[in-house]
């Protein structure tokens, strides 16, 4: 019997919660929320592995690695494990399942939920970065109101406000916090990143392992550099062209960089030895002219509005321009 294989970095709170549960007290569905890159999907998959291990254990978490359930899970062939990512919608596609599929429909999920376990144990569904259309949510209401025995649904999202109330209210919500810098470094180490590169990326990742890995990728690292250059140009009142970072694929990451710089600018204005999230930009932030509290409040509100609008079909450069107007020195007067 081996219980020590559950090794998700961070997630101390969620782990403590599930360590105190038993199969009898486990809910039918959980909603894992928190920023991107903090281990929600990793935790969900390892929890699924734990639930499908058939070796008796003291804890709900962990697995033996040798039983039939573990062998099938690690091979990606377990008949009682289903995983998908992205939007869940109503569709006409006919298929037997959706293992890591590009398209997931509510009809697929409803059909799979109605089946009995092939192995005689639990059936586990992981929906990563899930978005439910209203029609899909309505199609699943029967499951949420009368869940089949032995089924566990694990849903992850970095945008909990986009989860429809009919879904959110019927799942147990578990929040995942940002990772510490040391935890991000540990994740990068497990990805065989060189120590110096791991420390550098972790120091500017703002608690997200995914963001740290992205910075090590040339394209995503360039997005951060472009957003930083735009931020300081806008803050100085110079011409600021956002097209290098304000694109549909990079808008969210760019806005996160701008928000991080704004937070550090405010922190420096408070005085004292304040730890910064973007330490590599300290000198440039200190050189910026101070702003009145009302100007900073306006800027933070503009960034929040931009993050919400970014989830719509509004042009990314127009979203960035909303922040630029609040960043411009004239807006502080």
């Amino acid at each position: 019997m081996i219980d020590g294989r559950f090794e998700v970095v961070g997630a101390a709170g969620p782990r403590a919660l599930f360590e105190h549960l038993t199969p009898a007290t486990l809910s039918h569905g959980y909603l894992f929320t928190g920023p991107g890159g903090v281990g929600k999907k990793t935790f969900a998959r390892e929890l699924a592995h734990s639930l499908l291990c058939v070796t008796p254990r003291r804890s709900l978490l962990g697995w033996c690695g040798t039983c039939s359930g573990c062998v099938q899970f690690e091979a990606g062939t377990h008949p009682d494990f289903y995983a998908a990512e992205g939007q869940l919608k109503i569709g006409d596609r006919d298929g037997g399942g959706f293992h890591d599929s590009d398209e997931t429909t509510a009809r697929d999920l409803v059909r799979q939920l109605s089946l009995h376990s092939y192995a005689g144990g639990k059936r586990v569904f992981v929906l990563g970065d899930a978005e439910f259309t209203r029609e899909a949510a309505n199609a699943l209401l029967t499951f949420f109101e009368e869940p089949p025995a032995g089924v566990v649904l694990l849903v992850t999202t970095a945008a909990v406000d986009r989860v429809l109330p009919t879904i959110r209210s019927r799942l147990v919500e578990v929040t995942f916090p940002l990772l510490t810098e040391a935890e991000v470094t540990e994740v990068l180490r497990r990805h065989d990143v060189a120590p110096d590169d791991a420390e550098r990326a972790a120091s500017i990742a703002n608690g997200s392992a995914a963001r740290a890995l992205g910075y090590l990728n040339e394209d995503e690292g360039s997005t951060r550099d472009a957003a930083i250059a735009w931020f300081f140009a806008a803050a100085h009142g110079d011409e600021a062209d956002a097209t290098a970072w304000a694109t549909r694929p990079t808008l969210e990451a760019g806005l996160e960089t701008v928000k991080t710089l704004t937070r550090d600018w405010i922190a420096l204005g408070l005085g004292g030895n304040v730890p910064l999230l973007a330490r590599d930009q300290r000198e440039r932030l200190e050189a910026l002219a101070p702003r009145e509290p009302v100007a900073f409040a306006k800027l933070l509100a503009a960034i929040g509005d931009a993050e919400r609008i970014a989830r719509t079909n509004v042009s990314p450069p127009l979203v960035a321009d909303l922040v630029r107007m609040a960043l411009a020195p004239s807006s502080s007067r």
Side-chain angles (χ1 to χ4, degrees), residues 6 8-18 30-47 61 154-158 160 172-180 183 206-208:
F6 198 97
V8 180
V9 174
R15 176 167 183 157
L17 167 65
F18 285 96
Y30 293 88
L31 177 63
F32 293 164
T33 67
V38 296
K40 301 184 298 298
K41 284 185 285 188
T42 299
F43 190 97
R45 292 186 74 95
E46 296 206 1
L47 176 57
L61 302 180
L154 307 174
V155 181
T156 78
T157 181
V160 68
V172 177
E173 190 167 332
V174 181
T175 302
F176 286 64
L178 288 169
L179 301 178
T180 65
E183 288 170 341
N206 194 16
S208 168

Side-chain angles (χ1 to χ4, degrees), residues 131-250:
E131 295 182 33
F132 298 83
T133 65
R134 189 169 300 279
E135 294 79 8
N138 289 337
L140 290 168
L141 281 182
T142 299
F143 162 74
F144 290 119
E145 293 169 354
E146 299 179 11
V151 170
V152 179
L153 178 65
L154 307 174
V155 181
T156 78
T157 181
V160 68
D161 58 315
R162 297 171 68 178
V163 179
L164 294 171
T166 51
I167 298 293
R168 188 175 178 182
S169 64
R170 290 168 171 81
L171 298 174
V172 177
E173 190 167 332
V174 181
T175 302
F176 286 64
L178 288 169
L179 301 178
T180 65
E181 190 172 316
E183 288 170 341
V184 175
T185 302
E186 171 63 14
V187 173
L188 298 182
R189 184 191 66 78
R190 294 185 182 185
H191 282 78
D192 297 322
V193 175
D196 289 346
D197 289 338
E199 291 181 8
R200 173 176 57 83
S203 70
I204 59 177
N206 194 16
S208 168
R211 192 174 297 120
L213 288 167
Y215 292 155
L216 295 171
N217 175 284
E218 182 177 352
D219 292 338
E220 295 192 39
S222 297
T223 296
R224 179 179 187 266
D225 292 341
I228 288 173
W230 177 90
F231 171 88
F232 284 106
H236 285 297
D238 299 331
E239 183 177 348
D241 183 3
T243 55
W245 65 268
T247 67
R248 188 61 61 192
T250 62

Side-chain angles (χ1 to χ4, degrees), residues 2-312:
I2 301 175
D3 294 339
R5 291 176 177 265
F6 198 97
E7 298 178 346
V8 180
V9 174
R15 176 167 183 157
L17 167 65
F18 285 96
E19 283 179 337
H20 286 85
L21 294 177
T22 66
T25 58
L26 190 69
S27 175
H28 70 281
Y30 293 88
L31 177 63
F32 293 164
T33 67
V38 296
K40 301 184 298 298
K41 284 185 285 188
T42 299
F43 190 97
R45 292 186 74 95
E46 296 206 1
L47 176 57
H49 192 170
S50 299
L51 296 175
L52 295 171
C53 173
V54 299
T55 299
R57 301 180 312 282
R58 292 184 298 271
S59 171
L60 192 69
L61 302 180
W63 56 84
C64 69
T66 58
C67 70
S68 59
C70 286
V71 171
Q72 289 178 310
F73 187 92
E74 291 171 359
T77 59
H78 201 295
D80 290 325
F81 174 66
Y82 301 87
E85 293 193 24
Q87 188 180 67
L88 188 76
K89 56 189 177 181
I90 291 291
D92 296 324
R93 182 171 60 87
D94 186 22
F98 49 87
H99 278 276
D100 297 316
S101 64
D102 293 328
E103 178 184 341
T104 306
T105 74
R107 291 192 179 95
D108 289 331
L109 186 53
V110 169
R111 180 171 57 249
Q112 294 296 333
L113 288 168
S114 67
L115 299 176
H116 294 290
S117 169
Y118 290 89
K122 291 190 178 299
R123 307 183 71 233
V124 186
F125 295 74
V126 174
L127 303 181
D129 298 327
E131 295 182 33
F132 298 83
T133 65
R134 189 169 300 279
E135 294 79 8
N138 289 337
L140 290 168
L141 281 182
T142 299
F143 162 74
F144 290 119
E145 293 169 354
E146 299 179 11
V151 170
V152 179
L153 178 65
L154 307 174
V155 181
T156 78
T157 181
V160 68
D161 58 315
R162 297 171 68 178
V163 179
L164 294 171
T166 51
I167 298 293
R168 188 175 178 182
S169 64
R170 290 168 171 81
L171 298 174
V172 177
E173 190 167 332
V174 181
T175 302
F176 286 64
L178 288 169
L179 301 178
T180 65
E181 190 172 316
E183 288 170 341
V184 175
T185 302
E186 171 63 14
V187 173
L188 298 182
R189 184 191 66 78
R190 294 185 182 185
H191 282 78
D192 297 322
V193 175
D196 289 346
D197 289 338
E199 291 181 8
R200 173 176 57 83
S203 70
I204 59 177
N206 194 16
S208 168
R211 192 174 297 120
L213 288 167
Y215 292 155
L216 295 171
N217 175 284
E218 182 177 352
D219 292 338
E220 295 192 39
S222 297
T223 296
R224 179 179 187 266
D225 292 341
I228 288 173
W230 177 90
F231 171 88
F232 284 106
H236 285 297
D238 299 331
E239 183 177 348
D241 183 3
T243 55
W245 65 268
T247 67
R248 188 61 61 192
T250 62
L251 182 59
E252 182 178 352
L255 287 174
E256 184 64 32
T257 296
V258 171
K259 182 164 64 175
T260 296
L261 292 168
T262 301
R263 287 172 175 168
D264 284 355
W265 189 10
I266 295 171
L268 287 170
L270 297 176
N273 187 21
V274 180
L276 302 183
L277 298 174
R279 295 200 304 268
D280 59 328
Q281 300 300 314
R282 185 182 189 108
E283 290 185 7
R284 297 180 72 183
L285 288 168
E286 288 176 332
L288 289 177
R291 298 280 176 90
E292 294 294 327
V294 65
F296 278 132
K298 180 180 178 181
L299 177 54
L300 288 174
I303 295 173
D305 289 340
E307 288 180 317
R308 287 188 289 273
I309 296 172
R311 300 170 190 146
T312 69

